[in-house]
Amino acid sequence: MSTPLIKADNLTVGYNIGKSLLSKQVLKAVNGVSLEIEKGSFFGLVGESGSGKTTLGRALLKAAPITGGGAFYDDGEVRYDLTSLQGAQLKDYRKRAQLIFQDPYAALSPRMTVRDIIAEPLEVMGLTKTRAETDERVREIAAKCRLNLEHLRRFPHAFSGGQRQRISIARALVSGPQFVVADESVAALDVSIQADVLNLLKQIQRDMGLTFLFISHDLSVVAHTCDHVAVMYLGRLVETAPTRKLFEAPRHPYTKALFSAIPSLDPDDRGRAQKLTGEIPSPTNQPSGCKFHTRCPHAIDLCKSQEPTLEHVGDQHEVSCHRWRELIEVPA
């Protein structure tokens, strides 16, 4: 089996939110996550707001503090331990791992031309020596992102949301990264534009051999785009599997609830959505046992006292639930 490009081993990200040095309270936004992202894959990460998806993505970019466990990057050329990365190695990792932001309106400076926006990573990282070389790289990546040469002279206010997101994508890719985190990168776009940007990302992935961590709320988008999906709840992974297997046979009650909420055009499917009662608990006051038991319709006393671990249920399919075997025949 090939070495994964990104590996997290019991990864934890915690923030001290105590009001004083004497009263320390730790918020664990990511709590003991283990996963592997294969090189060249399109890996999806889904879950409700507040589940820790963005924090996990930022930790894998070395943009959020890793306070426990480990995370590693290995592209065959270099191997980095992200927990101790600093100095020259951190600068090199910045070239290899990049982020596509969610909001295409807030992510671009209104005072810079598109050419300067895309060229900025090259200049800051010292990847080109002359302006002519910089311009050549900018034109090359702009063409891959379906931007015309005339667009490079304009300012961001002259573009639609979809065009701005293509500019953001070009800026993220101009340094030649191997790993890209796309954090809700189509959430702010119209549905028709979403499809265009998603197809662009898939085309770029194939052409450049990139590895994506695609963070999203929209399961239909994940189904269209991703090879493998991990479901996150309150800082932990509750289920992970290849996309087709997960959609055909979800095992965790939380995954089933998310899938049942996907809108359907079939009028006979009305009312089939499984309503989850209550809100996701606060990360500062997490329930004991299974973190989902406060909202799970199938919870028993064991779920309230003992936290389940990720268990292999099939080829590359893992689930964290005490009762997944009993619930196989229970409809979503």
Side-chain angles (χ1 to χ4, degrees):
M1 186 175 181
S2 61
T3 302
L5 181 72
I6 295 289
K7 181 178 180 180
D9 185 12
N10 201 32
L11 178 66
T12 298
V13 177
Y15 297 95
N16 183 10
I17 59 173
K19 296 181 180 180
S20 69
L21 294 176
L22 298 178
S23 60
K24 292 185 178 180
Q25 188 178 18
V26 178
L27 185 155
K28 290 187 177 180
V30 177
N31 192 3
V33 167
S34 297
L35 58 79
E36 295 182 353
I37 303 178
E38 298 296 327
K39 189 173 183 179
S41 68
F42 216 113
F43 193 100
L45 185 63
V46 301
E48 293 173 283
S49 295
S51 60
K53 306 185 302 300
T54 294
T55 304
L56 176 58
R58 288 171 58 85
L60 296 178
L61 290 173
K62 191 58 178 177
I66 298 174
T67 55
F72 306 91
Y73 170 92
D74 189 346
D75 63 7
E77 180 181 345
V78 296
R79 185 178 190 273
Y80 290 137
D81 181 349
L82 302 186
T83 59
S84 59
L85 205 58
Q86 57 184 345
Q89 290 185 338
L90 179 58
K91 290 182 179 180
D92 182 65
Y93 185 61
R94 292 281 181 256
K95 304 171 187 176
R96 301 171 186 268
Q98 283 289 320
L99 171 68
I100 300 173
F101 292 94
Q102 174 179 350
D103 188 349
Y105 294 90
L108 306 178
S109 171
R111 297 178 177 84
M112 298 174 68
T113 64
V114 171
R115 181 266 173 201
D116 291 339
I117 289 172
I118 299 175
E120 187 176 24
L122 298 175
E123 296 166 348
V124 171
M125 297 177 184
L127 296 176
T128 53
K129 297 180 179 180
T130 65
R131 183 179 178 87
E133 186 181 355
T134 300
D135 287 341
E136 182 180 355
R137 290 279 293 273
V138 169
R139 289 193 293 267
E140 180 183 349
I141 199 65
K144 286 183 180 294
C145 295
R146 303 173 191 167
L147 295 169
N148 299 328
L149 292 180
E150 63 182 55
H151 291 160
L152 300 179
R153 296 190 294 270
R154 300 179 185 175
F155 290 86
H157 72 267
F159 297 93
S160 66
Q163 290 172 319
R164 292 186 191 206
Q165 195 60 289
R166 290 202 293 272
I167 296 169
S168 295
I169 293 170
R171 179 179 58 185
L173 301 182
V174 73
S175 63
Q178 293 295 310
F179 177 55
V180 179
V181 175
D183 186 7
E184 297 281 5
S185 54
V186 297
L189 306 178
D190 294 337
V191 174
S192 59
I193 305 301
Q194 283 186 11
D196 181 63
V197 173
L198 288 172
N199 290 333
L200 172 63
L201 290 177
K202 290 293 289 184
Q203 183 64 47
I204 288 174
Q205 182 213 13
R206 289 191 292 266
D207 293 345
M208 300 180 66
L210 302 180
T211 303
F212 275 85
L213 173 61
F214 187 79
I215 300 171
S216 180
H217 289 90
D218 193 333
L219 288 166
S220 59
V221 168
V222 169
H224 171 73
T225 310
C226 298
D227 312 314
H228 200 99
V229 182
V231 183
M232 199 167 183
Y233 184 81
L234 203 59
R236 295 180 178 272
L237 295 186
V238 297
E239 190 163 8
T240 177
T243 305
R244 177 172 293 183
K245 289 185 178 180
L246 191 69
F247 275 72
E248 289 178 350
R251 299 304 187 205
H252 198 281
Y254 180 61
T255 309
K256 293 180 181 181
L258 292 179
F259 286 176
S260 72
I262 299 175
S264 173
L265 297 177
D266 186 349
D268 294 333
D269 282 346
R270 290 180 180 176
R272 72 181 181 89
Q274 176 185 328
K275 185 177 180 180
L276 293 178
T277 58
E279 299 290 337
I280 186 170
S282 169
T284 61
N285 186 26
Q286 298 189 13
S288 60
C290 175
K291 306 308 177 187
F292 185 59
H293 85 259
T294 58
R295 305 172 70 194
C296 180
H298 310 292
I300 57 176
D301 289 340
L302 176 64
C303 304
K304 300 175 183 179
S305 60
Q306 182 177 331
E307 186 169 1
T309 58
L310 278 175
E311 180 181 354
H312 290 277
V313 302
D315 185 26
Q316 295 184 291
H317 192 165
E318 296 178 312
V319 62
S320 175
C321 178
H322 292 300
R323 303 190 64 199
W324 70 267
R325 292 181 178 84
E326 305 171 47
L327 301 177
I328 288 179
E329 302 302 326
V330 176

